[in-house]
């Protein structure tokens, strides 16, 4: 069988990793895919670099349109990122009847519904293993390995930069700002780290996993997103004393009224494997009704780990290219006409237990005032400590853990408590996720 021809859009970190691994493991890959997979065209703005990496015979251009329009290209690998130029190129490639492999989570989270729909009309595949958790084959696991299950929830550490920052803050008792600077120096965080630290990158990823886990359309506009910028070393340390680690989690869960879809920092019991995922590593736990809890761990970024996912997609496309499109694995695992309109719940309708840190004036009756408000909203306290620490102005820290409560009630209770004259600063609220796999 003739080799399948690949056009690479972008030969930066992941692109060069993909090119190198594809070449290095070509023999092994052919044994698996049944045919060669060769990069015949590369588009990159940096022609000098692209030419220095490309072998002779590979066409190098700075015009990506040359690749997506080229009649001999079978698969376009989109690694340029962003949601504007990348979207046009992906849609053009699809219109030209080419399969697409992409690592672009922002593109698919925002425009997946449109892209998957036009790809279906054209009978081409759009594969995106590399878009979620780098080298971890979580899309494959959700889409194929776990198809027997009714998935109950998915929870993941899916942004390595944020996890690195939280690990460093805990292990070295450092505040947020210098650790972020260190992450930038080490090349983990982007020069503009907003997507990493504000939870947006994780939100892209959990949106895609949610769609595949529950067979619902990709709905990035419905994710609740809270990043790690307001976390203090103080809370990380209190959490640790209470037997928890704080992690930035992407969570999607099926409940009676709909689907929860959220990204926020959470206290995770330190005995959970997920709580022990440190540094830039990623991990995802999927709970299925038949299999129970399963854990997937590995590198969430980097040249070769991400290349591993890109190439796995290339092999899948090579294997399935000649199959009737109706017999291929559906892009969201569920048949297109079986997607469900189960609503994504607003955050106010989500129930979680909470960690609260309050700064209050240390005098009789203060606790009674606070617990009165909590009781008014039916919020029950499960643990409480008052620290001896006297803050500037003579106030003390009170840490409370609550049982599960409705977000809406907790929001209202926090507003009321913050308005009490005895409360001297904003309340720190961090949700608790027990992630019990039973
Ligand atoms: N910036 C991401 C992270 C990697 O820090 O995990 C690519 O998604």
């Amino acid at each position: 069988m003739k080799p399948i021809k690949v056009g690479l859009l972008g030969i930066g970190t992941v692109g060069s990793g993909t090119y190198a691994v594809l070449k290095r493991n070509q023999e092994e890959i052919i044994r698996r895919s049944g045919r060669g997979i060769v990069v015949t065209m590369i588009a990159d703005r940096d022609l000098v670099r692209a030419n220095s990496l490309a072998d002779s015979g590979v066409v190098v251009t700075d015009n990506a349109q040359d690749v997506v329009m080229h009649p001999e290209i079978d698969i376009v690998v989109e690694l340029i990122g962003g949601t504007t130029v990348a979207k046009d190129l992906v849609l053009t490639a699809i219109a030209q009847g080419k399969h697409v492999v992409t690592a672009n989570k922002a593109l698919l989270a925002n425009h997946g519904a449109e892209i998957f729909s036009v790809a279906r009309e054209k009978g081409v595949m759009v594969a995106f293993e590399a878009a979620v958790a780098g080298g971890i084959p979580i899309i494959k696991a959700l889409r194929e390995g776990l198809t027997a299950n009714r998935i109950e929830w998915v929870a993941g550490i899916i942004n390595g930069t944020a996890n690195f920052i939280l690990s460093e803050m805990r292990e070295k008792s450092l505040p947020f700002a210098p650790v972020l600077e260190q992450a930038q120096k080490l090349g983990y965080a982007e020069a503009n780290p907003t997507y990493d630290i504000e939870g947006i990158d994780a939100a892209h990823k959990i949106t895609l996993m949610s769609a595949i886990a529950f067979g619902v359309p990709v709905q990035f506009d419905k994710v609740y997103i809270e990043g790690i910028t307001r976390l203090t070393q103080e809370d990380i340390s209190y959490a640790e004393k209470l037997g928890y680690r704080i992690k930035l989690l992407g969570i999607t869960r099926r409940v009676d009224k709909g689907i929860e879809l959220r990204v926020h920092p959470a206290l995770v019991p330190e005995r959970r494997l997920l709580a022990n995922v440190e540094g830039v590593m990623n991990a995802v736990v999927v709970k299925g009704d038949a299999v129970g809890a399963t854990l997937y761990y590995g590198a969430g970024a980097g040249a070769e780990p991400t290349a591993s996912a890109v190439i796995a997609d290339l092999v899948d496309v090579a294997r399935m290219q000649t199959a009737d499109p109706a017999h291929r694995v559906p892009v969201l695992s569920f048949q297109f006409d079986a997607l469900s309109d189960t609503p994504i719940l607003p955050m106010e309708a989500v129930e979680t237990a909470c960690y609260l840190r309050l700064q209050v004036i240390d005098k009789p009756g203060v606790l009674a005032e606070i617990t009165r408000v909590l009781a008014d909203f039916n919020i029950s306290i499960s643990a409480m400590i008052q620290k001896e620490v006297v803050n500037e102005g003579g106030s003390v820290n009170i840490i409370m853990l609550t049982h599960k409560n409705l977000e809406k009630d907790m929001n209202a209770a926090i507003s009321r408590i913050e308005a009490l004259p005895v409360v001297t600063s904003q309340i720190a609220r961090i949700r608790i996720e027990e992630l019990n796999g039973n």
Side-chain angles (χ1 to χ4, degrees), residues 198-200 202-204 206-207 219-227 230 248-252 259-265 344-350 352 407 411 429-431:
E198 294 294 359
I200 300 162
H204 291 145
I206 196 69
T207 301
Q219 298 166 80
F220 181 64
D221 56 334
K222 308 261 173 72
V223 202
Y224 172 81
I225 311 174
E226 189 182 308
R230 280 179 295 159
L248 180 69
L249 295 185
I251 302 171
T252 187
I259 292 166
E260 297 177 4
L261 183 56
R262 49 197 168 97
V263 171
H264 53 73
I344 305 292
L345 295 174
M347 193 59 193
E348 291 230 311
V350 168
T352 63
E407 180 90 1
N411 290 345
R429 175 253 304 267
I430 309 170
R431 299 165 189 90

Side-chain angles (χ1 to χ4, degrees), residues 20 22 28 43 59 159 165 179 223 243 267 275 290 351 384 390 415 425:
L22 201 49
E28 200 88 340
V59 175
N159 185 272
I165 292 172
V179 181
V223 202
L267 272 74
E351 276 189 17
M384 201 189 71
V390 177
S415 299
S425 81

Side-chain angles (χ1 to χ4, degrees), residues 103 105 130-134 158-163 188-190 195-196 201 205 280 282 300-302 306:
K105 53 248 158 194
V132 180
I158 44 181
N159 185 272
T161 306
N163 201 54
Y188 297 150
E190 308 290 326
Y195 274 29
D196 295 315
D201 176 72
K205 295 167 182 167
V280 289
N282 280 201
T306 313

Side-chain angles (χ1 to χ4, degrees), residues 161-430:
T161 306
N163 201 54
F164 170 81
I165 292 172
L166 296 180
S167 291
E168 289 287 297
M169 285 173 75
R170 183 183 67 79
E171 284 166 14
K172 300 185 179 156
S173 300
L174 289 168
F176 178 80
V179 181
L180 170 61
E181 219 171 279
Q182 191 196 352
Q184 283 172 307
K185 274 193 198 130
L186 289 168
Y188 297 150
E190 308 290 326
N192 176 352
T194 310
Y195 274 29
D196 295 315
I197 61 178
E198 294 294 359
I200 300 162
D201 176 72
H204 291 145
K205 295 167 182 167
I206 196 69
T207 301
L208 293 170
M209 288 197 280
S210 181
I212 298 172
F214 303 122
V216 295
V218 176
Q219 298 166 80
F220 181 64
D221 56 334
K222 308 261 173 72
V223 202
Y224 172 81
I225 311 174
E226 189 182 308
I228 59 168
T229 51
R230 280 179 295 159
L231 283 179
T232 63
Q233 204 282 322
E234 195 178 20
D235 290 318
I236 291 174
S237 159
Y238 283 140
E240 198 167 19
K241 289 190 181 99
L242 290 159
Y244 292 89
R245 297 225 172 131
I246 299 182
K247 295 290 176 189
L248 180 69
L249 295 185
I251 302 171
T252 187
R253 187 190 300 272
R254 193 200 302 255
V255 294
D256 288 346
K257 290 186 186 139
I259 292 166
E260 297 177 4
L261 183 56
R262 49 197 168 97
V263 171
H264 53 73
L267 272 74
V268 179
E270 68 188 358
R271 63 186 179 279
R272 299 272 179 261
L273 289 170
L274 202 61
N276 292 278
V277 172
E278 301 292 3
V280 289
M281 299 308 280
N282 280 201
V284 181
V285 180
V286 182
K287 171 82 189 325
D289 68 336
V291 72
T294 56
L295 171 69
Y296 309 83
Y297 171 88
E304 294 210 355
T306 313
S308 166
V310 170
I311 297 168
D313 279 346
L314 288 173
V315 171
D316 265 359
V317 173
R319 284 171 173 157
M320 297 304 292
Q321 195 200 15
T322 52
D324 176 347
H327 297 158
R328 293 177 187 148
V329 180
V331 69
L332 293 180
S333 184
F334 291 73
Q335 297 297 328
F336 184 77
D337 56 8
L339 289 183
S340 132
D341 58 3
T342 308
I344 305 292
L345 295 174
M347 193 59 193
E348 291 230 311
V350 168
E351 276 189 17
T352 63
C354 282
Y355 160 105
L356 303 174
R357 177 174 50 81
L358 305 89
Q359 270 186 29
V360 299
I361 292 169
D362 192 11
K363 67 171 194 184
V366 169
L367 213 48
E369 280 190 66
I370 293 164
T371 51
R372 178 72 259 150
V373 177
L374 292 174
D376 286 349
F377 289 97
N378 212 19
I379 295 169
S380 167
I381 298 164
S382 64
M384 201 189 71
I385 40 178
Q386 175 170 335
K387 300 308 286 184
E388 300 291 311
V389 191
V390 177
N391 302 302
E392 247 176 83
S395 54
V396 293
N397 270 335
I398 293 180
I399 317 297
M400 288 177 176
L401 303 187
T402 71
H403 288 294
K404 271 194 172 184
N405 50 264
L406 205 55
E407 180 90 1
K408 182 167 174 260
D409 291 337
M410 182 54 89
N411 290 345
I414 287 176
S415 299
R416 261 232 242 141
I417 295 171
E418 282 179 342
L420 296 173
V422 291
V423 175
T424 58
S425 81
Q426 277 199 329
I427 295 175
R429 175 253 304 267
I430 309 170

